[in-house]
Structure formats: structure tokens, C-alpha cells
Coordinates of all heavy atoms in Angstrom, one line a residue:
L1 N 83.3 -21.2 21.4 CA 83.3 -22.6 20.9 C 82.4 -22.8 19.7 O 82.8 -23.4 18.7 CB 82.8 -23.5 22.0 CG 82.7 -25.0 21.7 CD1 84.1 -25.6 21.2 CD2 82.1 -25.8 22.8
F2 N 81.3 -22.1 19.7 CA 80.3 -22.2 18.6 C 80.9 -21.6 17.3 O 80.7 -22.1 16.2 CB 79.0 -21.7 18.9 CG 78.3 -22.6 20.0 CD1 78.1 -22.1 21.3 CD2 77.9 -23.9 19.7 CE1 77.5 -22.9 22.2 CE2 77.3 -24.6 20.6 CZ 77.1 -24.2 21.9
N3 N 81.5 -20.4 17.5 CA 82.2 -19.8 16.3 C 83.3 -20.6 15.8 O 83.4 -20.7 14.5 CB 82.8 -18.4 16.7 CG 81.7 -17.4 17.0 OD1 80.6 -17.5 16.5 ND2 82.1 -16.4 17.8
A4 N 84.0 -21.3 16.6 CA 85.1 -22.2 16.2 C 84.5 -23.4 15.4 O 85.1 -23.8 14.4 CB 86.0 -22.6 17.4
L5 N 83.5 -23.9 15.9 CA 82.9 -25.1 15.3 C 82.3 -24.7 13.9 O 82.4 -25.5 12.9 CB 81.8 -25.7 16.1 CG 82.3 -26.4 17.4 CD1 81.2 -26.9 18.3 CD2 83.3 -27.6 17.0
T6 N 81.7 -23.5 13.8 CA 81.2 -23.0 12.5 C 82.3 -22.8 11.5 O 82.2 -23.2 10.4 CB 80.4 -21.7 12.8 OG1 79.3 -22.0 13.7 CG2 79.9 -21.2 11.4
S7 N 83.4 -22.3 12.0 CA 84.6 -22.1 11.1 C 85.1 -23.4 10.7 O 85.5 -23.6 9.5 CB 85.7 -21.3 11.9 OG 85.2 -20.0 12.2
L8 N 85.2 -24.4 11.6 CA 85.7 -25.7 11.3 C 84.8 -26.4 10.2 O 85.3 -27.0 9.3 CB 85.8 -26.6 12.5 CG 86.2 -28.0 12.3 CD1 87.6 -28.1 11.7 CD2 86.2 -28.8 13.6
N9 N 83.5 -26.2 10.4 CA 82.6 -26.8 9.4 C 82.8 -26.3 8.0 O 82.9 -27.0 7.0 CB 81.2 -26.6 9.8 CG 80.2 -27.3 8.9 OD1 80.2 -28.5 8.7 ND2 79.2 -26.5 8.4
T10 N 83.0 -25.0 7.9 CA 83.3 -24.3 6.6 C 84.7 -24.8 6.0 O 84.8 -25.2 4.9 CB 83.4 -22.8 6.8 OG1 82.1 -22.4 7.3 CG2 83.6 -22.1 5.4
L11 N 85.7 -24.9 6.9 CA 87.0 -25.3 6.5 C 87.0 -26.8 5.9 O 87.8 -27.1 5.0 CB 88.0 -25.2 7.6 CG 88.5 -23.8 7.9 CD1 89.4 -23.8 9.2 CD2 89.3 -23.2 6.7
I12 N 86.2 -27.6 6.5 CA 86.2 -29.0 6.1 C 85.9 -29.2 4.6 O 86.5 -30.0 3.9 CB 85.1 -29.8 6.9 CG1 85.6 -30.0 8.4 CG2 84.8 -31.2 6.3 CD1 84.6 -30.6 9.3
F13 N 85.0 -28.3 4.1 CA 84.7 -28.4 2.7 C 85.7 -27.6 1.8 O 85.9 -28.0 0.6 CB 83.3 -27.9 2.5 CG 82.2 -28.7 3.1 CD1 81.6 -28.3 4.3 CD2 81.9 -30.0 2.6 CE1 80.7 -29.1 4.9 CE2 81.0 -30.8 3.3 CZ 80.4 -30.4 4.4
E14 N 86.3 -26.6 2.4 CA 87.1 -25.7 1.6 C 88.6 -26.1 1.6 O 89.3 -26.0 0.5 CB 87.0 -24.3 2.1 CG 85.7 -23.6 1.9 CD 85.6 -22.2 2.4 OE1 86.6 -21.7 3.0 OE2 84.5 -21.7 2.3
N15 N 89.1 -26.6 2.7 CA 90.5 -26.9 2.8 C 90.7 -27.9 4.0 O 90.8 -27.5 5.1 CB 91.3 -25.6 3.1 CG 92.8 -25.8 3.1 OD1 93.3 -26.9 3.4 ND2 93.5 -24.7 2.8
Q16 N 90.8 -29.1 3.6 CA 90.8 -30.2 4.6 C 92.1 -30.1 5.5 O 92.0 -30.4 6.7 CB 90.7 -31.6 4.0 CG 89.3 -31.8 3.5 CD 89.1 -33.2 2.8 OE1 90.1 -33.9 2.7 NE2 87.9 -33.5 2.4
E17 N 93.2 -29.8 4.9 CA 94.4 -29.7 5.6 C 94.4 -28.6 6.7 O 94.7 -28.8 7.8 CB 95.6 -29.4 4.7 CG 97.0 -29.4 5.4 CD 98.1 -29.3 4.5 OE1 98.0 -29.6 3.3 OE2 99.2 -28.7 5.0
L18 N 93.9 -27.4 6.3 CA 93.7 -26.3 7.2 C 92.7 -26.7 8.3 O 92.8 -26.3 9.4 CB 93.3 -25.0 6.5 CG 93.2 -23.8 7.3 CD1 94.6 -23.5 7.9 CD2 92.8 -22.6 6.4
A19 N 91.6 -27.4 7.9 CA 90.6 -27.8 8.9 C 91.3 -28.7 9.9 O 90.9 -28.6 11.1 CB 89.5 -28.6 8.2
S20 N 92.1 -29.6 9.5 CA 92.8 -30.5 10.4 C 93.7 -29.7 11.4 O 93.7 -29.9 12.6 CB 93.7 -31.5 9.7 OG 94.4 -32.3 10.6
Q21 N 94.4 -28.7 10.9 CA 95.3 -27.8 11.7 C 94.4 -27.0 12.7 O 94.7 -26.9 13.9 CB 96.1 -26.9 10.9 CG 97.1 -27.6 10.0 CD 97.8 -26.6 9.0 OE1 97.5 -25.4 9.0 NE2 98.5 -27.2 8.1
F22 N 93.3 -26.5 12.2 CA 92.4 -25.8 13.1 C 91.8 -26.7 14.2 O 91.8 -26.2 15.3 CB 91.2 -25.3 12.2 CG 90.3 -24.4 12.9 CD1 90.5 -23.0 12.9 CD2 89.1 -24.8 13.5 CE1 89.6 -22.1 13.6 CE2 88.2 -24.0 14.1 CZ 88.5 -22.6 14.1
L23 N 91.5 -27.9 13.9 CA 90.9 -28.8 14.9 C 92.0 -29.1 15.9 O 91.7 -29.2 17.1 CB 90.5 -30.1 14.2 CG 89.8 -31.1 15.1 CD1 88.6 -30.6 15.9 CD2 89.4 -32.4 14.3
Q24 N 93.2 -29.3 15.5 CA 94.3 -29.5 16.5 C 94.5 -28.3 17.4 O 94.6 -28.5 18.7 CB 95.6 -29.8 15.8 CG 95.7 -31.1 15.0 CD 96.9 -31.3 14.2 OE1 97.9 -30.6 14.4 NE2 96.8 -32.1 13.2
Q25 N 94.4 -27.1 16.9 CA 94.5 -25.9 17.8 C 93.3 -25.8 18.7 O 93.4 -25.5 19.9 CB 94.6 -24.6 16.9 CG 95.9 -24.6 16.1 CD 97.2 -24.6 16.9 OE1 97.3 -24.1 18.0 NE2 98.1 -25.3 16.3
L26 N 92.1 -26.1 18.2 CA 90.9 -26.1 19.0 C 91.0 -27.1 20.1 O 90.6 -26.8 21.3 CB 89.7 -26.3 18.1 CG 88.3 -26.3 18.8 CD1 88.1 -25.0 19.5 CD2 87.2 -26.6 17.8
S27 N 91.5 -28.2 19.9 CA 91.6 -29.2 20.9 C 92.6 -28.8 22.0 O 92.4 -29.0 23.2 CB 92.0 -30.6 20.4 OG 93.3 -30.6 19.9
K28 N 93.7 -28.1 21.6 CA 94.7 -27.6 22.6 C 94.0 -26.5 23.4 O 94.3 -26.5 24.7 CB 95.9 -27.1 21.9 CG 96.7 -28.2 21.3 CD 97.9 -27.7 20.5 CE 98.7 -28.8 19.8 NZ 99.8 -28.4 19.0
V29 N 93.2 -25.7 22.8 CA 92.6 -24.6 23.6 C 91.6 -25.2 24.6 O 91.6 -24.9 25.8 CB 91.8 -23.6 22.6 CG1 90.9 -22.7 23.4 CG2 92.9 -22.8 21.8
Y30 N 90.8 -26.1 24.1 CA 89.8 -26.8 25.0 C 90.4 -27.6 26.1 O 90.0 -27.5 27.2 CB 88.8 -27.6 24.1 CG 87.6 -28.0 24.8 CD1 86.7 -27.0 25.3 CD2 87.2 -29.3 25.1 CE1 85.5 -27.3 26.0 CE2 86.0 -29.6 25.7 CZ 85.2 -28.6 26.2 OH 84.1 -29.0 26.8
R31 N 91.5 -28.3 25.8 CA 92.2 -29.0 26.8 C 92.7 -28.1 27.9 O 92.6 -28.4 29.1 CB 93.4 -29.8 26.2 CG 94.1 -30.7 27.1 CD 95.2 -31.5 26.5 NE 94.7 -32.4 25.4 CZ 95.0 -32.3 24.1 NH1 95.8 -31.3 23.7 NH2 94.5 -33.1 23.2
Y32 N 93.3 -27.0 27.5 CA 93.8 -26.0 28.5 C 92.7 -25.6 29.4 O 92.9 -25.5 30.6 CB 94.4 -24.8 27.8 CG 94.9 -23.8 28.7 CD1 96.2 -23.8 29.3 CD2 94.1 -22.7 29.1 CE1 96.7 -22.9 30.1 CE2 94.6 -21.7 30.0 CZ 95.8 -21.8 30.5 OH 96.3 -20.8 31.4
V33 N 91.6 -25.2 28.8 CA 90.5 -24.7 29.6 C 90.0 -25.8 30.6 O 89.8 -25.5 31.8 CB 89.3 -24.3 28.7 CG1 88.0 -24.0 29.6 CG2 89.7 -23.1 27.9
L34 N 89.9 -27.0 30.2 CA 89.5 -28.1 31.1 C 90.5 -28.4 32.2 O 90.2 -28.7 33.3 CB 89.2 -29.4 30.3 CG 88.0 -29.4 29.4 CD1 87.9 -30.7 28.6 CD2 86.7 -29.1 30.2
Q35 N 91.8 -28.4 31.8 CA 92.9 -28.7 32.8 C 93.0 -27.6 33.8 O 93.5 -27.8 34.9 CB 94.2 -28.9 32.1 CG 94.3 -30.1 31.3 CD 95.6 -30.2 30.5 OE1 96.3 -29.2 30.2 NE2 96.0 -31.4 30.1
H36 N 92.7 -26.3 33.5 CA 93.0 -25.2 34.4 C 91.7 -24.6 35.0 O 91.8 -23.6 35.7 CB 93.8 -24.2 33.7 CG 95.2 -24.7 33.3 ND1 95.4 -25.3 32.1 CD2 96.3 -24.7 34.0 CE1 96.7 -25.7 32.1 NE2 97.3 -25.4 33.2
K37 N 90.5 -25.2 34.7 CA 89.3 -24.5 35.1 C 89.1 -24.4 36.6 O 88.5 -23.5 37.1 CB 88.1 -25.3 34.5 CG 87.9 -26.7 35.1 CD 86.7 -27.3 34.4 CE 86.5 -28.7 34.9 NZ 85.8 -28.9 36.2
D38 N 89.8 -25.2 37.4 CA 89.6 -25.2 38.9 C 90.8 -24.5 39.5 O 90.9 -24.4 40.8 CB 89.4 -26.6 39.4 CG 88.1 -27.2 39.0 OD1 87.1 -26.4 38.8 OD2 88.0 -28.4 38.8
K39 N 91.8 -24.0 38.8 CA 93.0 -23.4 39.3 C 92.7 -21.9 39.5 O 92.0 -21.3 38.7 CB 94.2 -23.6 38.4 CG 94.6 -25.0 38.4 CD 95.9 -25.2 37.5 CE 96.3 -26.6 37.5 NZ 97.5 -26.8 36.6
N40 N 93.3 -21.3 40.6 CA 93.1 -19.9 40.8 C 94.1 -19.1 40.0 O 93.8 -18.0 39.6 CB 93.3 -19.6 42.3 CG 92.2 -20.1 43.2 OD1 91.0 -20.2 42.7 ND2 92.5 -20.6 44.3
F41 N 95.3 -19.7 39.8 CA 96.3 -19.0 39.0 C 97.2 -20.0 38.2 O 97.3 -21.1 38.6 CB 97.3 -18.2 40.0 CG 96.6 -17.2 40.8 CD1 96.3 -17.5 42.2 CD2 96.3 -16.0 40.3 CE1 95.6 -16.5 42.9 CE2 95.7 -15.0 41.1 CZ 95.3 -15.3 42.4
V42 N 97.8 -19.5 37.1 CA 98.7 -20.2 36.3 C 99.9 -19.2 36.0 O 99.7 -18.0 36.1 CB 98.2 -20.7 35.0 CG1 97.1 -21.8 35.3 CG2 97.6 -19.6 34.1
L43 N 101.0 -19.7 35.7 CA 102.1 -18.8 35.3 C 101.7 -18.1 34.0 O 101.0 -18.7 33.1 CB 103.4 -19.6 35.0 CG 104.1 -20.2 36.3 CD1 105.3 -21.0 35.9 CD2 104.4 -19.1 37.3
I44 N 102.2 -16.9 33.8 CA 101.9 -16.2 32.6 C 102.5 -16.9 31.4 O 101.9 -17.0 30.3 CB 102.4 -14.7 32.7 CG1 101.5 -13.9 33.6 CG2 102.5 -14.1 31.3 CD1 102.0 -12.5 33.9
E45 N 103.6 -17.6 31.6 CA 104.2 -18.4 30.5 C 103.3 -19.4 30.0 O 103.1 -19.7 28.9 CB 105.5 -19.0 31.0 CG 106.2 -19.9 30.0 CD 106.8 -19.1 28.8 OE1 107.2 -17.9 29.0 OE2 106.8 -19.6 27.7
T46 N 102.6 -20.1 31.0 CA 101.6 -21.1 30.6 C 100.4 -20.5 29.9 O 99.9 -21.1 28.9 CB 101.1 -21.8 31.9 OG1 102.3 -22.4 32.6 CG2 100.1 -23.0 31.6
E47 N 100.0 -19.4 30.3 CA 98.8 -18.7 29.7 C 99.2 -18.3 28.3 O 98.4 -18.3 27.4 CB 98.4 -17.5 30.6 CG 97.2 -16.8 30.0 CD 95.9 -17.4 30.4 OE1 95.8 -18.5 31.0 OE2 94.9 -16.8 30.1
L48 N 100.5 -17.8 28.1 CA 100.9 -17.4 26.8 C 101.0 -18.6 25.8 O 100.6 -18.4 24.6 CB 102.3 -16.8 26.9 CG 102.3 -15.4 27.5 CD1 103.8 -14.9 27.7 CD2 101.5 -14.4 26.7
E49 N 101.3 -19.8 26.3 CA 101.3 -20.9 25.4 C 99.9 -21.2 25.0 O 99.6 -21.5 23.8 CB 101.9 -22.2 26.1 CG 103.4 -22.1 26.4 CD 103.9 -23.2 27.3 OE1 103.2 -24.2 27.4 OE2 105.0 -23.0 27.8
F50 N 99.0 -21.1 25.9 CA 97.5 -21.3 25.6 C 97.1 -20.3 24.6 O 96.4 -20.6 23.6 CB 96.7 -21.3 26.9 CG 95.3 -20.9 26.7 CD1 94.4 -21.7 26.0 CD2 94.8 -19.7 27.2 CE1 93.1 -21.4 25.8 CE2 93.5 -19.3 27.0 CZ 92.6 -20.1 26.3
I51 N 97.4 -19.0 24.8 CA 96.9 -18.0 24.0 C 97.4 -18.0 22.6 O 96.8 -17.6 21.6 CB 97.1 -16.6 24.7 CG1 96.0 -15.6 24.2 CG2 98.5 -16.0 24.4 CD1 94.6 -15.9 24.6
T52 N 98.6 -18.6 22.4 CA 99.2 -18.8 21.1 C 98.3 -19.7 20.3 O 98.0 -19.4 19.1 CB 100.6 -19.4 21.2 OG1 101.4 -18.5 21.9 CG2 101.2 -19.7 19.8
H53 N 97.7 -20.8 20.9 CA 96.8 -21.7 20.1 C 95.5 -20.9 19.8 O 94.9 -21.1 18.7 CB 96.5 -22.9 20.9 CG 97.8 -23.7 21.2 ND1 98.5 -24.3 20.3 CD2 98.4 -24.0 22.4 CE1 99.6 -24.9 20.8 NE2 99.5 -24.7 22.1
Y54 N 95.0 -20.1 20.8 CA 93.8 -19.4 20.5 C 94.0 -18.4 19.4 O 93.1 -18.2 18.5 CB 93.4 -18.7 21.8 CG 92.1 -17.9 21.7 CD1 90.9 -18.5 21.5 CD2 92.1 -16.5 21.7 CE1 89.7 -17.8 21.4 CE2 91.0 -15.7 21.6 CZ 89.8 -16.4 21.4 OH 88.6 -15.7 21.3
I55 N 95.1 -17.7 19.4 CA 95.4 -16.7 18.3 C 95.4 -17.4 17.0 O 94.9 -16.9 16.0 CB 96.7 -15.9 18.6 CG1 96.5 -15.0 19.8 CG2 97.2 -15.2 17.4 CD1 97.7 -14.4 20.4
R56 N 96.0 -18.6 16.9 CA 96.0 -19.3 15.6 C 94.6 -19.6 15.1 O 94.4 -19.6 13.9 CB 96.8 -20.6 15.8 CG 98.3 -20.3 15.9 CD 99.1 -21.6 15.9 NE 100.5 -21.3 16.1 CZ 101.3 -22.0 16.9 NH1 100.9 -23.1 17.5 NH2 102.6 -21.7 17.0
L57 N 93.7 -19.9 16.0 CA 92.3 -20.1 15.6 C 91.7 -18.9 15.0 O 91.1 -18.9 14.0 CB 91.5 -20.5 16.8 CG 91.7 -21.9 17.4 CD1 90.8 -22.1 18.7 CD2 91.4 -23.0 16.4
L58 N 92.0 -17.7 15.7 CA 91.5 -16.5 15.2 C 92.1 -16.1 13.8 O 91.4 -15.6 13.0 CB 91.8 -15.4 16.2 CG 91.1 -15.5 17.5 CD1 91.6 -14.4 18.5 CD2 89.6 -15.4 17.3
E59 N 93.4 -16.4 13.7 CA 94.1 -16.1 12.4 C 93.5 -16.9 11.3 O 93.4 -16.4 10.2 CB 95.6 -16.3 12.6 CG 96.3 -15.3 13.4 CD 97.7 -15.6 13.7 OE1 98.1 -16.8 13.5 OE2 98.5 -14.7 14.1
T60 N 93.1 -18.1 11.6 CA 92.4 -18.9 10.6 C 91.1 -18.3 10.2 O 90.7 -18.3 9.0 CB 92.2 -20.4 11.1 OG1 93.5 -20.9 11.4 CG2 91.6 -21.2 10.0
R61 N 90.4 -17.8 11.1 CA 89.1 -17.2 10.9 C 89.2 -15.9 10.1 O 88.4 -15.6 9.2 CB 88.3 -17.0 12.2 CG 87.7 -18.2 12.8 CD 86.9 -17.9 14.0 NE 85.8 -17.0 13.8 CZ 85.2 -16.2 14.7 NH1 85.7 -16.2 15.9 NH2 84.2 -15.5 14.3
F62 N 90.1 -15.0 10.6 CA 90.2 -13.6 10.1 C 91.3 -13.4 9.1 O 91.4 -12.3 8.5 CB 90.3 -12.7 11.2 CG 89.2 -12.7 12.2 CD1 89.3 -13.2 13.5 CD2 87.9 -12.2 11.8 CE1 88.2 -13.2 14.3 CE2 86.9 -12.2 12.7 CZ 87.0 -12.7 13.9
G63 N 92.2 -14.4 8.9 CA 93.2 -14.2 7.9 C 94.1 -13.0 8.2 O 94.4 -12.7 9.4
S64 N 94.6 -12.3 7.2 CA 95.5 -11.2 7.3 C 94.8 -10.0 7.9 O 95.5 -9.0 8.2 CB 96.1 -10.9 6.0 OG 95.1 -10.4 5.1
G65 N 93.5 -10.1 8.2 CA 92.8 -9.0 8.8 C 93.0 -8.9 10.3 O 92.5 -7.9 10.9
L66 N 93.8 -9.8 10.8 CA 94.0 -9.8 12.3 C 95.5 -9.9 12.5 O 96.2 -10.8 12.0 CB 93.3 -11.0 12.9 CG 93.6 -11.2 14.4 CD1 92.9 -10.1 15.2 CD2 93.1 -12.5 14.9
Q67 N 96.0 -9.0 13.3 CA 97.4 -9.0 13.7 C 97.5 -8.8 15.2 O 97.0 -7.8 15.7 CB 98.2 -8.0 13.0 CG 98.4 -8.2 11.5 CD 99.2 -7.1 10.8 OE1 99.6 -6.2 11.5 NE2 99.3 -7.3 9.5
I68 N 98.1 -9.7 15.9 CA 98.2 -9.6 17.4 C 99.7 -9.8 17.7 O 100.4 -10.7 17.3 CB 97.4 -10.7 18.1 CG1 95.9 -10.6 17.8 CG2 97.7 -10.7 19.6 CD1 95.1 -11.6 18.4
T69 N 100.2 -8.8 18.5 CA 101.6 -8.8 18.9 C 101.6 -8.9 20.4 O 100.9 -8.2 21.1 CB 102.3 -7.5 18.5 OG1 102.2 -7.4 17.1 CG2 103.8 -7.6 18.9
I70 N 102.4 -9.8 21.0 CA 102.5 -10.0 22.4 C 103.9 -9.5 22.8 O 104.9 -10.1 22.3 CB 102.3 -11.4 22.8 CG1 100.9 -11.8 22.5 CG2 102.5 -11.6 24.3 CD1 100.6 -13.3 22.7
K71 N 104.0 -8.6 23.7 CA 105.3 -8.1 24.2 C 105.2 -8.2 25.7 O 104.4 -7.6 26.4 CB 105.5 -6.6 23.8 CG 105.7 -6.4 22.4 CD 105.9 -5.0 22.0 CE 106.1 -4.8 20.5 NZ 106.3 -3.4 20.2
I72 N 106.2 -9.0 26.3 CA 106.2 -9.3 27.7 C 107.7 -9.5 28.1 O 108.4 -10.2 27.3 CB 105.3 -10.4 28.1 CG1 105.3 -10.5 29.6 CG2 105.6 -11.7 27.5 CD1 104.1 -11.4 30.2
T73 N 108.1 -9.0 29.2 CA 109.5 -9.2 29.6 C 109.6 -10.6 30.2 O 108.7 -11.3 30.6 CB 109.9 -8.2 30.7 OG1 109.1 -8.5 31.9 CG2 109.7 -6.8 30.3
D74 N 110.9 -11.1 30.1 CA 111.1 -12.5 30.6 C 110.8 -12.6 32.1 O 110.3 -13.6 32.5 CB 112.6 -12.9 30.4 CG 112.9 -13.1 28.9 OD1 112.0 -13.4 28.1 OD2 114.1 -13.0 28.5
G75 N 111.0 -11.6 32.8 CA 110.7 -11.6 34.3 C 109.3 -11.7 34.6 O 108.9 -12.3 35.5
D76 N 108.4 -11.1 33.7 CA 107.0 -11.2 33.9 C 106.4 -12.5 33.6 O 105.3 -12.9 34.0 CB 106.3 -10.1 33.1 CG 106.5 -8.7 33.7 OD1 106.8 -8.6 34.9 OD2 106.4 -7.7 32.9
R77 N 107.1 -13.3 32.8 CA 106.6 -14.7 32.4 C 106.5 -15.6 33.6 O 105.7 -16.5 33.5 CB 107.5 -15.3 31.3 CG 107.4 -14.6 30.0 CD 108.4 -15.1 29.0 NE 108.4 -14.4 27.8 CZ 107.6 -14.8 26.8 NH1 106.8 -15.8 26.9 NH2 107.6 -14.1 25.6
E78 N 107.2 -15.3 34.6 CA 107.1 -16.2 35.8 C 106.1 -15.7 36.9 O 105.9 -16.3 37.9 CB 108.5 -16.2 36.5 CG 109.6 -16.8 35.6 CD 109.2 -18.2 35.1 OE1 108.8 -19.1 35.9 OE2 109.4 -18.5 33.9
K79 N 105.4 -14.7 36.5 CA 104.3 -14.2 37.4 C 103.1 -15.0 37.2 O 102.9 -15.7 36.2 CB 104.1 -12.7 37.2 CG 105.3 -11.8 37.6 CD 105.0 -10.4 37.4 CE 106.3 -9.6 37.8 NZ 106.1 -8.2 37.6
A80 N 102.1 -14.8 38.1 CA 100.8 -15.6 38.0 C 99.7 -14.7 37.4 O 99.7 -13.5 37.5 CB 100.5 -16.2 39.3
I81 N 98.7 -15.4 36.8 CA 97.6 -14.8 36.3 C 96.4 -15.8 36.4 O 96.6 -17.0 36.5 CB 97.8 -14.4 34.8 CG1 96.7 -13.5 34.2 CG2 98.0 -15.7 33.9 CD1 97.0 -12.9 32.9
I82 N 95.2 -15.2 36.4 CA 94.0 -16.1 36.4 C 93.9 -16.8 35.1 O 94.0 -16.1 34.0 CB 92.7 -15.3 36.8 CG1 92.9 -14.6 38.2 CG2 91.5 -16.1 36.7 CD1 91.8 -13.6 38.5
P83 N 93.6 -18.1 35.1 CA 93.5 -18.8 33.8 C 92.5 -18.2 32.8 O 91.4 -17.7 33.3 CB 93.1 -20.2 34.2 CG 93.6 -20.4 35.6 CD 93.4 -19.0 36.2
V84 N 92.8 -18.2 31.6 CA 91.9 -17.7 30.5 C 91.7 -16.2 30.4 O 91.0 -15.7 29.6 CB 90.6 -18.5 30.5 CG1 89.8 -18.3 29.2 CG2 90.8 -20.0 30.7
T85 N 92.4 -15.5 31.3 CA 92.3 -14.0 31.3 C 92.7 -13.4 30.0 O 92.0 -12.5 29.4 CB 93.2 -13.4 32.4 OG1 92.8 -13.9 33.7 CG2 93.1 -11.9 32.4
L86 N 93.8 -13.8 29.4 CA 94.2 -13.2 28.1 C 93.3 -13.5 27.0 O 93.0 -12.7 26.1 CB 95.7 -13.7 27.8 CG 96.7 -13.3 28.8 CD1 98.1 -13.8 28.3 CD2 96.8 -11.8 28.9
Q87 N 92.7 -14.7 27.0 CA 91.8 -15.1 26.0 C 90.5 -14.2 26.0 O 90.0 -13.7 25.0 CB 91.4 -16.6 26.1 CG 90.4 -17.1 25.0 CD 89.0 -16.9 25.4 OE1 88.6 -16.9 26.5 NE2 88.1 -16.8 24.4
I88 N 90.1 -13.9 27.2 CA 88.9 -13.1 27.4 C 89.2 -11.6 26.9 O 88.4 -11.0 26.2 CB 88.4 -13.1 28.8 CG1 87.9 -14.4 29.2 CG2 87.4 -12.0 29.1 CD1 87.6 -14.6 30.7
L89 N 90.4 -11.1 27.2 CA 90.8 -9.8 26.8 C 90.9 -9.7 25.2 O 90.3 -8.8 24.6 CB 92.2 -9.4 27.3 CG 92.2 -9.2 28.8 CD1 93.6 -9.0 29.3 CD2 91.3 -8.0 29.2
I90 N 91.5 -10.7 24.6 CA 91.6 -10.7 23.1 C 90.2 -10.9 22.5 O 89.8 -10.2 21.6 CB 92.5 -11.8 22.7 CG1 93.9 -11.5 23.1 CG2 92.4 -12.0 21.2 CD1 94.9 -12.6 22.8
E91 N 89.4 -11.7 23.1 CA 88.0 -11.9 22.6 C 87.2 -10.6 22.6 O 86.5 -10.3 21.7 CB 87.3 -13.0 23.4 CG 85.9 -13.4 22.9 CD 85.3 -14.5 23.7 OE1 85.3 -14.4 25.0 OE2 84.9 -15.5 23.1
N92 N 87.3 -9.9 23.7 CA 86.6 -8.7 23.9 C 87.1 -7.6 23.0 O 86.3 -6.8 22.4 CB 86.6 -8.2 25.3 CG 85.6 -8.9 26.2 OD1 84.5 -9.4 25.7 ND2 85.9 -9.1 27.5
A93 N 88.4 -7.6 22.8 CA 89.0 -6.6 21.9 C 88.5 -6.8 20.4 O 88.2 -5.8 19.7 CB 90.5 -6.7 21.9
I94 N 88.4 -8.0 20.0 CA 87.9 -8.3 18.7 C 86.4 -8.1 18.6 O 85.9 -7.5 17.6 CB 88.2 -9.8 18.3 CG1 89.7 -10.0 18.1 CG2 87.4 -10.2 17.1 CD1 90.2 -11.4 18.0
K95 N 85.7 -8.4 19.6 CA 84.2 -8.3 19.6 C 83.8 -6.8 19.5 O 82.9 -6.4 18.8 CB 83.6 -8.9 20.8 CG 82.1 -8.8 20.9 CD 81.6 -9.5 22.1 CE 80.1 -9.3 22.2 NZ 79.5 -10.0 23.5
H96 N 84.6 -6.0 20.3 CA 84.2 -4.5 20.4 C 85.1 -3.7 19.5 O 85.0 -2.4 19.6 CB 84.3 -4.1 21.8 CG 83.3 -4.9 22.7 ND1 81.9 -4.7 22.6 CD2 83.5 -5.8 23.6 CE1 81.3 -5.5 23.4 NE2 82.2 -6.2 24.1
N97 N 86.0 -4.3 18.8 CA 86.9 -3.6 17.8 C 87.6 -2.4 18.5 O 87.7 -1.3 18.1 CB 86.1 -3.1 16.6 CG 87.0 -2.9 15.4 OD1 88.2 -3.2 15.5 ND2 86.5 -2.3 14.4

């Protein structure tokens, strides 16, 4: 959250339109976390929608230096996962390169 807010602060002065888009993605990410914080599981499809917004935030921060590809079968999209699992995996992959 703090990295995102710092990035948003920088964008406000550099590119207001991009800052607005960034804020919209940030609100979708935060809304998802709040809505699913007490759930044990969500559909992978739901988690993928969430992670798409999170990836857009990262792409804004890192530009072309970041490329994330998601490959999942249609059958697996209906399986369950613990909320925010994919975000944590991506965050750790970036942090530890």
C-alpha cells in the first residue's frame, strides 16, 4: 500500500491521467482485499480478476521492465484458492527477483 501511494504521489505531478488510472486500479485492489478478507476461499477466476488490477499497478511502477504472463486452463478457473494468494506470490517474486 505504501509503495503504491508513493508511486501515486509521483504520478500526480508527472502524469495526471496515468495517476487517475493508477488510483482506479488501486481502489479495485483495496476493495477486493476488504471484500474477501474474511473468506477462506474464492474462485481462481475471481482471484485472477483481482490480480489483473494488481499487475496493472506494478506495470505502472516498473514500466516495460516487468512482464507477467498468466497461463491457466479453463477447468482450473473454477477451483478455489485462498484470497490474495497470487498477489503475495507475485509480490515475493518481484521483491526477491
Side-chain angles (χ1 to χ4, degrees):
L1 178 61
F2 294 108
N3 288 337
L5 291 174
T6 300
S7 296
L8 178 59
N9 185 54
T10 301
L11 284 174
I12 288 170
F13 296 105
E14 293 177 1
N15 185 333
Q16 291 180 355
E17 184 177 332
L18 187 57
S20 176
Q21 294 170 8
F22 187 86
L23 183 58
Q24 290 173 22
Q25 295 302 321
L26 181 59
S27 70
K28 289 175 184 178
V29 166
Y30 196 59
R31 184 178 301 115
Y32 177 88
V33 172
L34 292 176
Q35 288 175 339
H36 296 90
K37 67 181 176 80
D38 294 327
K39 293 183 180 178
N40 292 325
F41 299 100
V42 296
L43 291 179
I44 289 178
E45 179 68 30
T46 304
E47 184 81 355
L48 288 172
E49 290 172 19
F50 155 68
I51 208 64
T52 299
H53 301 297
Y54 180 70
I55 290 170
R56 287 186 186 141
L57 292 175
L58 294 174
E59 289 172 342
T60 302
R61 285 182 61 205
F62 297 110
S64 62
L66 177 71
Q67 294 180 359
I68 297 175
T69 304
I70 299 173
K71 294 181 182 181
I72 186 165
T73 64
D74 289 338
D76 287 338
R77 291 175 181 271
E78 299 302 316
K79 294 180 180 177
I81 192 170
I82 298 169
V84 191
T85 299
L86 297 178
Q87 184 269 334
I88 293 169
L89 290 173
I90 291 172
E91 182 178 54
N92 281 330
I94 290 170
K95 180 178 179 182
H96 299 293
N97 200 8

